[in-house]
Amino acid sequence: MIHTTHSIRVRYGETDPMKYVYYGNYAEYFEIGRVELFRSIGMSYNEIENQGIWLPVSEYKIKYIRPALYDQKLEIHTYIKKIPGVRIEFEYEIYNEEHIKITEASTTLFFLDAKTNKIIKCPDVLMKLILANWEE
C-alpha cells in the first residue's frame, strides 16, 4: 500500500451560500491527492504526461459524511491499495481540523497511450516507483 497526506484550506470560491464546500469541488481535492501521491514517490503527473501517458478517470465514487466548511484546514489522505495493471485505483479520506472523517471516495483511472489512444499496462518506470514505495 502507498499512503500520502496533503493539507489544503477551503477557499471562499469553493463554497456554496451556506459556506459548505460545493460537492463538485471534491473531485479537484482528490486530484490534488493523486498528483501529490505521484510526486511523493518520485514522478510528477507532468512527467507521466510528458512520457506520452494519459490517465483518464473511468470511475468515481464518493460518500459525503459531513460538510467541509469555508476556511477549514482539510487533510486529504490518498491510498493505492492494489498493484496497478491497466487500471490504477485510488482511495481517499478527507478529515477536518478536528480530525473527523468527513468524506471518503475512490477513483479508478486507466493508462492510455497518448499517441495510439490505446489502453496500456502501467508503464515500467512508474511501476518501479510504486513497488519501491510499497508498504505492507
Side-chain angles (χ1 to χ4, degrees):
M1 175 175 75
I2 298 175
H3 171 223
T4 60
T5 60
H6 186 75
S7 296
I8 60 168
R9 186 166 300 277
V10 175
R11 298 172 296 181
Y12 185 79
E14 297 167 343
T15 64
D16 63 18
M18 297 179 291
K19 300 211 171 76
Y20 287 13
V21 169
Y22 177 69
Y23 77 94
N25 287 322
Y26 286 86
E28 188 171 334
Y29 293 169
F30 302 137
E31 180 181 352
I32 291 168
R34 285 193 306 274
V35 167
E36 294 303 325
L37 183 145
F38 281 133
R39 186 182 322 279
S40 77
I41 66 170
M43 181 173 274
S44 73
Y45 217 89
N46 192 48
E47 289 176 85
I48 296 168
E49 290 182 343
N50 287 342
Q51 292 192 17
I53 308 298
W54 299 120
L55 282 163
V57 174
S58 63
E59 188 175 321
Y60 174 38
K61 182 179 178 183
I62 186 165
K63 180 178 181 182
Y64 302 100
I65 302 167
R66 295 177 181 223
L69 304 170
Y70 169 62
D71 204 37
Q72 272 188 330
K73 186 176 180 183
L74 304 178
E75 192 170 80
I76 304 165
H77 290 251
T78 307
Y79 304 86
I80 299 175
K81 295 183 177 178
K82 297 179 191 173
I83 300 294
V86 297
R87 291 179 199 83
I88 186 165
E89 297 175 22
F90 295 89
E91 293 182 26
Y92 313 90
E93 295 173 337
I94 298 179
Y95 292 83
N96 64 18
E97 292 171 321
E98 292 80 34
H99 306 287
I100 297 169
K101 185 181 352 177
I102 62 169
T103 308
E104 53 190 39
S106 64
T107 55
T108 302
L109 293 77
F110 59 93
F111 297 97
L112 188 70
D113 184 301
K115 290 179 185 169
T116 64
N117 213 28
K118 293 190 188 237
I119 295 173
I120 59 171
K121 67 180 178 115
C122 180
D124 290 341
V125 64
L126 185 55
M127 183 64 84
K128 286 178 186 172
L129 291 171
I130 289 170
L131 294 175
N133 287 276
W134 197 262
E135 295 181 11
E136 292 298 325

